[in-house]
Amino acid sequence: MSESSESRLSRIVTAAESHFGKPVVKTSAPGGDGRSSFRIHFKDQSVIATLRPNFRRTHLEAHALEQISAHCDDVPRMLGVVGEILFQSDVGRKRLNVEIARVEGSERQHMAENAVAGIFRFQNAARATDLHTFLPNLGSNGEWYENFINAATALQPYGPGVGKDFDGQAVYERLAVPMTQFIKWDCRSGNAAIGADGKLRWFDFEYCGVRHGAEDIAWLIGDEAWPLEPDAMVDVVIDAFDPSCGHSLEEYFRYLSTYVTLHCIQRFKLILKEEAKRGWLNKDRVRKYDDAGVHPEFAAHICKVGAYFAAQDKLTLPLRDAFEAAMVNFQYVTVQEARREAREAARLLKKKRRPVLRV
């Protein structure tokens, strides 16, 4: 742990003991020492303490949790703010991204259903508050939309590239709708956990704001480490859909499909950027530390999701073939990587050394 991390943790411990009026027994870092949140252990309970550099965001998150938790049990309870430090209830050590990868069949389906239903519930709870009147609109200016839509060029090197019929202006008009709904933002599966009571709850509302509303669902579907097939997720969303969200199911899915398609490109770009810096990572490590999905299987999966949703609408259909070509590319990389790792393992075994496998 660096000196700065030690200093930060010392401030948190001092604030926790003062705020809760009891000694801290130990601390731990759920996401690693470099993250902003720590688990604070008292003799009779544990809480999550977060010290982020943005004072305003910390207080917005605290207020959002306080307001939403008054109407539903799908988010942490706000336990207090001491200066820049936010204390919130500990929603559990079993992160959704890890747990859902451990199960299959009906158990996996049930977790997915709970995750999506929880998003619709906390958005519904937010509509009972005034959060939408003062939280910031997220990604509301022309430059944001331009970057979001033009990122499609990241698919250009693969196969046929972006179809010449791709109309960025029409896509912009599809997405530039009135922003009226509270969203958590960053609803990747690593930001939900299953508590000791078996309840799944969403956490990390640092970047909450106001948009269409489907973006939270898009972040989950477009999580490269999310193991469900895209068509299965469509069924889950249909079953959980909340008609009080202000959109018809048809309109909601039209927007969702377009947004997921472009969101997948953002995730794909992030994977490529991080792979260039760090190389491919171990899948278990990615899940444990809620890291970017820098593994060829995850890259292939996000392209598969993008291709599926691109095919749902004529506006995004010109991106489908490029997604599919990129998917095939990374499926091939997966095979080649596995073969290379197997050869390396065999070489190490000959030297009587313990092999370290990443795939």
Side-chain angles (χ1 to χ4, degrees):
M1 182 183 293
S2 68
E3 289 185 4
S4 60
S5 295
E6 289 177 350
S7 175
R8 187 168 68 248
L9 182 56
S10 177
R11 288 175 57 194
I12 290 173
V13 169
T14 299
E17 291 184 335
S18 174
H19 183 70
F20 292 97
K22 50 189 175 183
V24 171
V25 175
K26 68 173 183 176
T27 64
S28 55
D33 292 338
R35 298 294 179 92
S36 57
S37 292
F38 293 86
R39 180 171 279 112
I40 306 300
H41 302 260
F42 299 106
K43 185 177 181 180
D44 59 344
Q45 71 176 130
S46 63
V47 302
I48 299 298
T50 303
L51 174 56
R52 295 193 174 103
N54 191 317
F55 179 87
R56 179 174 177 271
R57 272 286 169 190
T58 296
H59 282 258
L60 282 176
E61 180 178 12
H63 185 67
L65 291 179
E66 185 175 37
Q67 293 293 304
I68 294 172
S69 63
H71 299 279
C72 77
D73 189 28
D74 297 278
V75 303
R77 287 177 292 108
M78 199 279 288
L79 302 178
V81 179
V82 178
E84 302 167 286
I85 302 168
L86 166 64
F87 293 106
Q88 56 190 286
S89 60
D90 186 350
V91 297
R93 303 183 188 185
K94 295 181 177 181
R95 286 202 175 194
L96 175 60
N97 61 337
V98 174
E99 297 304 310
I100 199 164
R102 290 175 174 169
V103 299
E104 296 180 348
S106 61
E107 288 184 85
R108 178 173 288 182
Q109 178 76 12
H110 184 61
M111 283 188 189
E113 291 169 353
N114 284 342
V116 171
I119 292 173
F120 279 116
R121 282 196 299 267
F122 73 61
Q123 288 188 350
N124 181 278
R127 289 195 290 274
T129 74
D130 64 349
L131 289 172
H132 65 282
T133 65
F134 64 86
L135 285 176
N137 289 350
L138 302 178
S140 59
N141 60 59
E143 182 180 2
W144 187 93
Y145 281 112
E146 183 178 358
N147 290 335
F148 189 57
I149 296 168
N150 288 343
T153 56
L155 298 173
Q156 200 63 40
Y158 301 95
V162 177
K164 62 180 182 351
D165 295 331
F166 182 67
D167 186 345
Q169 179 61 34
V171 173
Y172 166 76
E173 292 171 3
R174 165 73 55 79
L175 296 177
V177 299
M179 299 183 180
T180 59
Q181 171 63 56
F182 170 89
I183 61 169
K184 173 193 175 298
W185 201 246
D186 197 9
C187 276
R188 292 173 300 115
S189 54
N191 287 331
I194 301 169
D197 59 356
K199 173 77 173 179
L200 186 149
R201 296 177 178 87
W202 287 94
F203 62 88
D204 195 358
F205 284 70
E206 177 187 7
Y207 296 109
C208 64
V210 179
R211 275 194 68 92
H212 173 279
E215 294 86 358
D216 282 344
I217 301 295
W219 271 89
L220 180 61
I221 296 174
D223 176 355
E224 61 272 13
W226 187 245
L228 275 78
E229 295 295 313
D231 57 339
M233 286 304 297
V234 168
D235 291 339
V236 170
V237 176
I238 290 173
D239 289 342
F241 181 71
D242 181 357
S244 71
C245 70
H247 306 285
S248 69
L249 181 61
E250 180 182 6
E251 187 282 324
Y252 189 91
F253 265 93
R254 187 163 53 246
Y255 182 96
L256 177 67
S257 292
T258 305
Y259 195 92
V260 170
T261 301
L262 296 175
H263 181 77
C264 287
I265 297 174
Q266 296 294 323
R267 299 306 300 177
F268 181 63
K269 285 181 60 181
L270 178 63
I271 291 170
L272 296 183
K273 177 183 176 182
E274 292 300 310
E275 192 279 331
K277 291 193 300 185
R278 299 186 282 169
W280 296 120
L281 304 179
N282 174 275
K283 288 186 291 184
D284 290 338
R285 180 197 182 283
V286 166
R287 292 189 175 101
K288 179 179 179 180
Y289 293 107
D290 189 27
D291 208 340
V294 188
H295 189 284
E297 288 182 16
F298 292 153
H301 177 73
I302 203 64
C303 291
K304 183 177 184 178
V305 174
Y308 176 88
F309 281 97
Q312 303 307 306
D313 193 278
K314 64 180 181 180
L315 285 183
T316 50
L317 185 59
L319 302 178
R320 180 194 59 189
D321 291 349
F323 268 122
E324 289 182 344
M327 177 186 70
V328 171
N329 175 80
F330 285 96
Q331 287 173 335
Y332 174 75
V333 169
T334 301
V335 172
Q336 295 299 92
E337 185 78 358
R339 287 173 179 167
R340 190 193 68 76
E341 295 286 2
R343 289 195 298 269
E344 178 67 7
R347 185 184 69 80
L348 292 173
L349 283 173
K350 285 182 180 180
K351 294 184 176 183
K352 297 183 179 180
R353 292 171 59 191
R354 181 180 177 85
V356 179
L357 300 180
R358 295 186 299 165
V359 176

